[in-house]
Every structure is written in structure tokens, then in C-alpha cells.
Amino acid sequence: MTDALLRRVNPSEITSVVKPPVDAETLDAARTIVDDVRDRGLDALRDHAERFGERTRDQPILLDTSAMSCAFESLDERDRAVLVRTAERIERFARAQRACITDLDTDVPGGRAGHTVVPVTNAGCYAPGGRYPLPSSALMTAVTARVTGCQRVVVASPGAHRVTLAAAHVAGADEFLAVGGAHAVAALAFGCEGFERVDVIAGPGNAYVTAAKQLVSGVVGIDMLAGPSELLVLADDSADPAVIAADLLAQAEHDTRAVPILVTTCDALPDLVEAQLRAQLDALRTRDVAAQALANGYACVAPNLDDAIRVCDTVAPEHLEVMTRDAEGVGQRLRNAGALFLGATSAEVFGDYGAGPNHTLPTGGTARFQSGLSITHFLRLRTWLSIEDPAGSGLIDDVRRLAELEGLAGHEASAAKRADSGSDPGI
């Protein structure tokens, strides 16, 4: 079918490739902006905010808690309640994650060692606001940072859309940076007049945001370098084509660069899904965006479930819906995905909108080695060592010999100073 909305590919055509999240041209453009904000600070930030139509010269760039509170109060009661309930679900899951990560205290030769779990002090949380305002991203990032224990939480989003401001209020943000793009990332990383830099930047964004995060990584921590959003549906002949099409379109409407994928063991399913895509696309308000995104995707028929799973693990998608018999059992066999959605009723959009787990996830094949956003991105494991009996444990002899092997005489001497525990410690 040459005119299929989802082109057809064979399993042999699927290769394991980690795609660069940004191209060289975008990276160069972002570098110019990042360098400008680093060098000129607030003046540069205002210039770029005005250039991109985010703020006029007389509008404040940094908003305080009262502005966020006012935005929240301006919403109707139903919308306020939705934001609060969503934040509560995200918080509940984040607290459960936090409870799994605890301090460590264990015996080592001659003493004890361990780690303490320490949050970063300042969290920068980015929420996109270009094609659509995304208050869900403000909640996903800022609620997670607050649960982790960050003392200061900043939300950055272009244009300070009212519902995003309200979400920042619900999340307990301390400040709201009313700009986006590479200049917002640079301000978060380097700070400027009246605005203190952060320690970690987290949250999804467009290619310029991602490029800027790549450029400032190392100056600050970042969560990941995420590219266009992806959904892979793994289905067998028990799956409903109408549901699959609806989920693929929900993903496709994110952005013209989004990637919807169907992998199936059923020869007839791609044509059935194709028919549903056409029917549902006609009625979709966001069809202009979704139709373009469908051209990025594909449908792949695998001869059996084992081969279908291998295709999924090769793609390593951001989101992976499992619509098969024994979905949980199949899910246990899948290794590479940012997030799994098990069973036909576990829609990916439930993850997008705050069922619990975070929706900021690795893309472009990086799920092979990268995790989605969680409290761990705002935590540090700080190790400690307390040695009381280095001589009796044999530790000194081993350290001295290793130092000799490496030719580091100072290391050997330092260890030797601990050899005689009864020696005069000096002044």
C-alpha cells in the first residue's frame, strides 16, 4: 500500500540506532543564544524574550508566588480541582519512589562505609509552551523536585500561560521564569541579575531547548536529551484497531516530528488500523499536525511474538503500549522502553496526564541506557568512609602495594602513616 499513512517496514529493516536529539545547525543557533545570555545576563534574556514574542520590555521576566497564586485563583473550580488531583497522583508516586532510595551503612574492612541520599538545592523545571501550553509538564517536574526535597524550585515556560502558572502554584514552585527556549535554559544554568542559577535542569522542550541543555550539561545537571516524542504499540490479533489508531493519533498530535509506530504479529492488523486512522483523523481537530507526524511512523509485521519483542527492544521507544494477550507477561520480557503501558486499558495518555509515573522520558533509542525523569535526577548519593582499624584489616598492606604498583609514593606514605596506631599523632 504505497499511500498508507503508516509506511510498512520489515523487521530486518529495524536497526538499533541512537538518533542525535538535535542537528548541528540547531546546536549552533542555540550556542549563540546560550553564550549571549551567559555573557550579557539579564539584558540578553530580555532581548531574546522580546525577539521571540514572549515578553515586552516592560513586562517582568521573573514572577513570584503571588502571580502563580492569582493565576490559579482565576481558573474555574473544575480546572483547579483537576490540577490539584493530578499533582496529588504525581506526588504519591514520587513519594513511593523516594521511600525506595535510602541511606546505606555497611561494614567494610576496618570500619564502616555507606552513603547518604541528598537532594540538590535548586531545581530548574522546564515546561514547554509553544504549540500548546503544557501544565502537565510543570506538574511532572516541579512536584517531583519538591517531593525530592529541593529547597528552591523554579518553573520556566515561554509566555507565562495562565494554566501553566496555575500548575506551578499547585506544584509549590518558588519562582516562575516567564521565558522559554535556549535563553531560558541559559538563564537557569548561569543565572543573571536578580535570578540565582539552579543545580539541575529537567523537563521536555523543543530542539533548541534540548540543544541548550546539551551545551550547559556539566555546568548544571540535566535529566536527559530528549528528541521528538514516540509511541510504539505492540499488538496481536486480540487488539482493537480503533483503540490502536486513537492512541497513535494522540501521540502524533504532539508535534509534526512525533513518531507513531505499530509492531504486530497479526498480518491483517496494519490495514485495519490504517482504516481507523483515516476515519479518526478526519474528525480530529489537530489533524494538520497529526497527519504530518504519521509520515514519520511505520507499521511492522513480525512473524512471531519473539521477533516482535526483538523489534521493540531494538527501537527502544519512549512509550511502549502492550496490547497482547498476557500483557504483563509480555511486558516482563521487554527490556528497552522509557515507559511501559500494559494492557489495552492502560492508555499512554494516562501517563501523559498524571496517573503517577513521570511523563518526561528518553527518546531516540536512548531508553537502552537512559531512564525517565524521577526523583533520582534531583538526588545525589554521597558516600562516606569511617576506618577505625586499618592495620588489623589488612587494608594498609593492600593500599601500599597498589600504590607501589602505580608508582604513587605519596599514596604509599599516606597509608603508612596509619600503620602504627599507637604512634604519637603529633600536634
Side-chain angles (χ1 to χ4, degrees), residues 55-218:
R55 310 296 279 175
T56 62
R57 300 295 294 193
D58 59 343
Q59 288 181 305
I61 282 180
L62 189 63
L63 306 178
D64 61 14
T65 55
S66 63
M68 291 180 264
S69 176
C70 286
F72 177 75
E73 294 300 331
S74 73
L75 299 180
D76 64 39
E77 183 177 354
R78 178 188 178 191
D79 291 340
R80 293 198 303 269
V82 166
L83 292 177
V84 170
R85 286 195 300 271
T86 303
E88 288 173 345
R89 290 192 293 266
I90 296 168
E91 179 179 353
R92 189 179 306 117
F93 187 83
R95 288 197 182 282
Q97 284 187 318
R98 181 65 183 86
C100 293
I101 304 174
T102 61
D103 291 351
L104 171 67
D105 188 331
T106 189
D107 294 334
V108 297
R112 295 164 35 250
H115 69 233
T116 53
V117 183
V118 185
V120 301
T121 302
N122 302 288
C125 302
Y126 191 90
R131 182 174 279 106
Y132 316 108
L134 295 179
S136 57
S137 289
L139 294 174
M140 286 287 180
T141 51
V143 169
T144 304
R146 184 61 75 197
V147 168
T148 306
C150 301
Q151 293 179 17
R152 171 173 166 256
V153 177
V154 180
V155 171
S157 187
H161 193 282
R162 180 178 62 157
V163 70
T164 306
L165 271 170
H169 165 76
V170 172
D174 299 293
E175 299 169 63
F176 193 103
L177 191 62
V179 297
H183 47 299
V185 173
L188 291 169
F190 300 111
C192 63
E193 181 184 347
F195 179 71
E196 182 184 352
R197 60 180 289 183
V198 301
D199 304 310
V200 169
I201 301 173
N206 64 19
Y208 293 94
V209 170
T210 302
K213 286 169 71 176
Q214 181 174 329
L215 292 168
V216 302
S217 176

Side-chain angles (χ1 to χ4, degrees), residues 310-384:
R310 277 192 285 272
V311 170
C312 295
D313 281 341
T314 298
V315 176
E318 177 186 18
H319 310 97
L320 202 167
E321 289 187 346
V322 183
M323 295 193 194
T324 64
R325 297 176 182 85
D326 187 22
E328 292 200 10
V330 172
Q332 291 174 5
R333 297 173 60 190
L334 291 159
R335 297 180 60 84
N336 301 333
L340 293 175
F341 301 83
L342 303 175
T345 54
S346 301
E348 184 271 334
V349 296
F350 295 156
D352 277 350
Y353 288 140
N358 210 284
H359 77 194
T360 305
L361 298 164
T363 66
T366 59
R368 288 175 25 232
F369 53 82
Q370 178 77 56
S371 301
L373 181 67
S374 72
I375 60 162
T376 60
H377 288 93
F378 301 107
L379 290 175
R380 298 159 291 160
L381 297 185
R382 186 175 60 201
T383 61
W384 55 268

